[in-house]
Amino acid sequence: MICEPTHTPDAVDISALREKYRQERDRRLRPEGQSQYLRLEDDFADQYEVDPYLPATPRAPISEDLDVAILGAGWSGIMAAYRLKQAGVTTFRNIDLAGDFGGCWYWNRFPGIQCDNDAYCYIPLLEETGYVPTKKYVDGFEIYDQFRRIANQFGLYEGALFHTLVRALRWDQELRRWRLGTSRGDDIRARFVVMACGPLNKPKLPGIPGLKGFKGHSFHTARWDYAYTGGHHRDPTLDKLADKQVALVGTGATAVQVVPYLGRYTKQLYVLQRTPSSVDKRLNPPTDPAWVKTLKPNWQKERQSNFHHGTTRGFAPGEPDLICDFWTEISRNLSAKLDTMGRPPMTPQQFAELYEQEDYRVMERLRRRIDTLVEDKETAEALRPYYRFMCKRPCSSENYYETFNRPNVKLIDVAPTRGVERMTETGFVAQGVEYPVDCIVFASGFEVTSELRHRWGIDVVEGRNGLSLYDHWGDGYKTLHGVTTHGFPNQFFIHFSQGAIHSSTPAGFDQQAHHIAYIIAKALRRGATTVECSQKAQDEWVRTIRATAVDNTQFLRECTPSYYNNEGEQKLRYFLGEPYGKGFYAFDKILRQWRERDDMEGLDVQT
Ligand code: NDP
């Protein structure tokens, strides 16, 4: 199938829109930035963070020596386990607060949950497990099932410790091991640790005045309360909501998937929106068996690379768009235009300008689309997103906008008060009107750019000489290749820091997992007790990162606030860390060549 460019409006007044984008940003900027959110601590953690899916069963504390402790069992954790096993390392454990593998796909079981990325790219190890997704955007449980398939097929359950949170992590110089203290009283002495804690693991709540006094029911979408709503992860028939008035806070990627379900089942739904998402159509065809038959070995990696091009630097001349959806639309349209122009040589600045023009056109197309779907003019206007395409996570849906035509669904625009104004014991207040509700559902997202200590939930991470990792990175990341840092022997990171980013996040995690597994396996084979990156190697990599950095400050500053731009705070912190500026595949080459040299360059290896 040839994927054609889309029809976008030609006559777009970019300078007027730029001004409108600025106004819409300013209307939402809050001086308190990140601190507008509440942390899930103490009472809040008990109420909003417990596992509603699987009860934690009692077990005796463990005291043991281990080769590798992997902190986390989401995509980064399971890829680390898989890669270690491939590299011949067998004595390791995944340790996770959740009750199973799955990470965000364990915790997020809200109705309608689907991966809104092309599943053939997103879901790792398809060829290795012999699995092909059932459709382009698969349901959340299908992804969770792939975790279980990987864990079963490659024997990863044996070592896994679930419902366990690592609380303290200290390097013991005498033992030359990391000592892990956990919420279960374990004392684990691991030769190596892999930090695979994930970027979306800590739910956050908006700091709405009166929240604590609300006497109705409430929960966060990352802990969906099916006991209250009725239905199940695999069958979200929310039949217990038929007599309930429900408020949903947030209109991000999660809410866009939840709204059609809440709209269908509640007596009354209020959708409390501060910033609208951009929502394109979602065509979700089942997988064509004839297409599956055509797939050649390595097809998934090739498709991932095509997707990555389609969301970053644009398609090369003649390169087809295999993904053919809203993620790749700007690149597809731009490629067609460049072909028409005869692909003249141009500076990066000229390329960026052309890209920006396509961005304005696509966003205008998405805004106009709303008018064709939403009957009420005021609601349609409030749903229009005024910002550049990647300011907020783009979404797609089969029926999000149409849900607002239902008589029981009302959009409440809370932008004028920069968020929900306040809550009472029985409901919420917006623009002077109190709306009684039985339940508030928070689709309010996760801590992404807050301090690591809080996100990881690990009070102490101490390397050599008691140096705290949180202090060590207090003024920014310092790593070699994003995976290791000086002063913290035998500790490795799968993390958005100073590596590279793939548009399909798990593919990026796999790159790091592969590299880390190589280092650990080689060290164990050599009988090494410590592996530590040298100060010199770290300094050189930090210089490389800074020298190649793509400056996206202006883009981020012009965006409406969100976790993408650290809530628009003056001290910008990019949610993807400080990625290597020449891109994922150039970075992959660096890592590959490093491994091929087979000399552990930059690492001090002691036996
Ligand atoms: P987000 O952080 O994207 O959205 C949080 C929402 O809560 C925003 O709409 C935000 O508004 C709103 N909010 C926050 N504070 C207030 C307040 N005081 N008053 C009113 N509204 C408020 O979280 P999501 O859970 O939606 O998504 C998080 C990430 O999870 C996504 O970006 C994506 O990476 C991932 N995801 C992936 C999916 C997939 O298909 N692969 C599906 C769902 C999520 P505002 O924008 O104004 O801050």
Side-chain angles (χ1 to χ4, degrees):
M1 183 195 75
I2 294 181
C3 181
E4 299 291 347
T6 57
H7 295 290
T8 54
D10 274 336
V12 175
D13 184 343
I14 291 182
S15 61
L17 276 173
R18 207 189 296 280
E19 177 56 19
K20 172 78 174 159
Y21 286 8
R22 196 186 58 71
Q23 287 167 7
E24 293 294 326
R25 176 203 62 189
D26 291 351
R27 229 152 75 74
R28 292 170 175 87
L29 268 177
R30 288 175 58 151
E32 67 276 46
Q34 289 239 11
S35 53
Q36 68 182 279
Y37 294 104
L38 290 179
R39 295 188 147 178
L40 292 190
E41 285 167 338
D42 308 323
D43 294 356
F44 273 132
D46 293 343
Q47 188 182 346
Y48 291 98
E49 213 180 7
V50 287
D51 184 347
Y53 314 121
L54 274 177
T57 46
R59 66 165 174 81
I62 293 170
S63 173
E64 68 173 8
D65 290 339
L66 187 69
D67 281 346
V68 192
I70 304 167
L71 277 63
W75 281 134
S76 46
I78 202 167
M79 294 315 296
Y82 168 77
R83 290 289 173 193
L84 281 169
K85 200 126 204 196
Q86 297 295 104
V89 180
T90 49
T91 318
F92 60 81
R93 285 187 185 283
N94 287 90
I95 306 176
D96 200 297
L97 181 62
D100 198 350
F101 283 99
C104 63
W105 298 100
Y106 174 87
W107 292 114
N108 287 275
R109 302 185 184 198
F110 51 81
I113 183 169
Q114 285 186 336
C115 176
D116 59 14
N117 273 202
D118 183 272
Y120 313 113
C121 287
Y122 177 83
I123 302 181
L125 302 182
L126 291 178
E127 292 182 69
E128 293 79 353
T129 53
Y131 185 71
V132 181
T134 57
K135 51 191 173 187
K136 185 169 169 68
Y137 308 106
V138 296
D139 298 316
F141 58 80
E142 190 169 330
I143 303 177
Y144 178 40
D145 289 346
Q146 174 71 353
F147 271 98
R148 293 166 17 137
R149 188 174 296 109
I150 294 169
N152 279 314
Q153 213 160 309
F154 300 104
L156 308 180
Y157 272 116
E158 290 145 36
L161 275 187
F162 294 121
H163 285 138
T164 303
L165 183 65
V166 173
R167 285 284 186 206
L169 196 55
R170 290 188 171 88
W171 174 249
D172 186 322
Q173 183 61 27
E174 234 169 82
L175 293 177
R176 296 188 176 213
R177 285 175 181 272
W178 283 92
R179 271 194 112 120
L180 283 70
T182 76
S183 56
R184 296 298 195 101
D186 307 312
D187 177 20
I188 298 172
R189 299 165 298 274
R191 181 69 73 201
F192 297 95
V193 290
V194 180
M195 309 299 290
C197 307
L200 297 170
N201 65 332
K202 193 79 185 165
K204 69 182 185 332
L205 292 178
I208 305 170
L211 174 65
K212 278 195 175 174
F214 176 64
K215 295 227 158 58
H217 196 71
S218 65
F219 57 88
H220 191 281
T221 45
R223 304 286 185 277
W224 192 270
D225 189 352
Y226 281 106
Y228 180 83
T229 64
H232 185 264
H233 189 198
R234 292 168 196 265
D235 173 20
T237 305
L238 311 178
D239 50 1
K240 292 189 184 169
L241 296 181
D243 61 348
K244 299 285 189 292
Q245 309 204 76
V246 174
L248 178 72
V249 177
T251 48
T254 295
V256 165
Q257 300 192 334
V258 167
V259 161
Y261 282 82
L262 286 180
R264 186 183 314 157
Y265 290 108
T266 53
K267 178 176 166 204
Q268 174 69 51
L269 173 65
Y270 299 107
V271 180
L272 279 58
Q273 171 190 275
R274 182 165 63 186
T275 314
S277 284
S278 68
V279 187
D280 202 359
K281 64 176 179 299
R282 176 179 296 187
L283 302 176
N284 199 3
T287 301
D288 178 357
W291 169 72
V292 176
K293 284 201 187 116
T294 66
L295 297 174
K296 305 255 170 15
N298 211 33
W299 70 266
Q300 187 178 25
K301 288 222 161 8
E302 283 163 18
R303 191 172 177 97
Q304 285 170 339
S305 132
N306 180 263
F307 176 47
H308 190 67
H309 294 163
T311 51
T312 49
R313 65 162 173 72
F315 294 110
E319 185 179 8
D321 177 357
L322 301 177
I323 309 305
C324 201
D325 65 9
F326 61 107
W327 289 103
T328 54
E329 179 182 5
I330 294 178
S331 289
R332 187 184 335 133
N333 292 0
L334 183 54
S335 279
K337 174 174 277 177
L338 291 173
D339 286 345
T340 321
M341 291 162 68
R343 296 257 171 188
M346 60 180 69
T347 63
Q349 176 65 21
Q350 287 167 325
F351 181 83
E353 280 165 18
L354 283 179
Y355 199 93
E356 186 181 17
Q357 286 169 17
E358 291 307 317
D359 184 320
Y360 275 93
R361 291 200 175 99
V362 165
M363 288 304 287
E364 186 59 25
R365 176 183 77 72
L366 292 168
R367 285 188 289 269
R368 292 186 190 179
R369 185 174 168 266
I370 300 167
D371 301 337
T372 66
L373 299 172
V374 177
E375 289 156 13
D376 179 67
K377 294 276 165 285
E378 208 181 314
T379 305
E381 178 53 36
L383 285 166
R384 288 169 143 243
Y386 287 102
Y387 45 77
R388 285 193 57 188
F389 185 67
M390 281 306 288
C391 280
K392 201 172 159 66
R393 192 176 201 277
C395 301
S396 67
S397 171
E398 283 157 346
N399 47 6
Y400 176 69
Y401 289 128
E402 291 85 337
T403 306
F404 292 97
N405 296 331
R406 297 180 66 101
N408 66 324
V409 177
K410 185 169 173 58
L411 184 75
I412 307 272
D413 180 3
V414 299
T417 44
R418 292 181 158 80
V420 181
E421 192 178 326
R422 76 190 156 88
M423 283 167 64
T424 63
E425 285 189 4
T426 51
F428 67 92
V429 174
Q431 318 232 16
V433 179
E434 181 172 0
Y435 297 83
V437 289
D438 301 290
C439 176
I440 303 210
V441 180
F442 291 101
S444 45
F446 303 85
E447 293 189 26
V448 180
T449 48
S450 63
E451 316 92 82
L452 223 39
R453 184 196 304 264
H454 194 260
R455 267 187 281 148
W456 283 354
I458 310 174
D459 302 324
V460 178
V461 183
E462 281 179 5
R464 234 175 342 95
N465 305 321
L467 177 63
S468 162
L469 181 70
Y470 305 127
D471 293 340
H472 179 59
W473 281 351
D475 56 357
Y477 294 116
K478 307 173 187 79
T479 72
L480 171 61
H481 298 152
V483 298
T484 170
T485 187
H486 182 65
F488 295 79
N490 295 9
Q491 184 174 33
F492 297 93
F493 305 91
I494 302 183
H495 189 53
F496 292 147
S497 62
Q498 293 178 331
I501 309 299
H502 197 285
S503 306
S504 217
T505 308
F509 291 160
D510 184 33
Q511 182 187 58
Q512 292 176 308
H514 185 177
H515 195 65
I516 291 167
Y518 165 87
I519 296 171
I520 292 178
K522 193 169 170 64
L524 285 172
R525 273 200 303 276
R526 274 201 207 172
T529 53
T530 61
V531 177
E532 182 180 350
C533 107
S534 70
Q535 180 76 48
K536 181 167 169 279
Q538 175 179 289
D539 291 347
E540 272 171 19
W541 184 249
V542 172
R543 271 198 298 276
T544 303
I545 284 288
R546 305 270 149 80
T548 60
V550 176
D551 184 4
N552 60 358
T553 315
Q554 195 189 341
F555 173 83
L556 290 174
R557 285 221 185 284
E558 288 176 0
C559 286
T560 46
S562 76
Y563 79 78
Y564 271 36
N565 63 357
N566 199 27
E567 300 299 334
E569 283 194 13
Q570 278 310 307
K571 188 163 187 255
L572 272 183
R573 217 179 295 149
Y574 187 35
F575 77 111
L576 297 175
E578 288 182 89
Y580 176 65
K582 292 188 180 172
F584 182 86
Y585 290 99
F587 181 62
D588 205 50
K589 192 168 167 195
I590 291 177
L591 295 187
R592 213 175 42 246
Q593 290 177 340
W594 187 93
R595 291 193 296 268
E596 279 163 10
R597 285 197 296 277
D598 205 28
D599 58 0
M600 303 276 245
E601 186 189 345
L603 297 180
D604 180 16
V605 182
Q606 304 276 335
T607 47

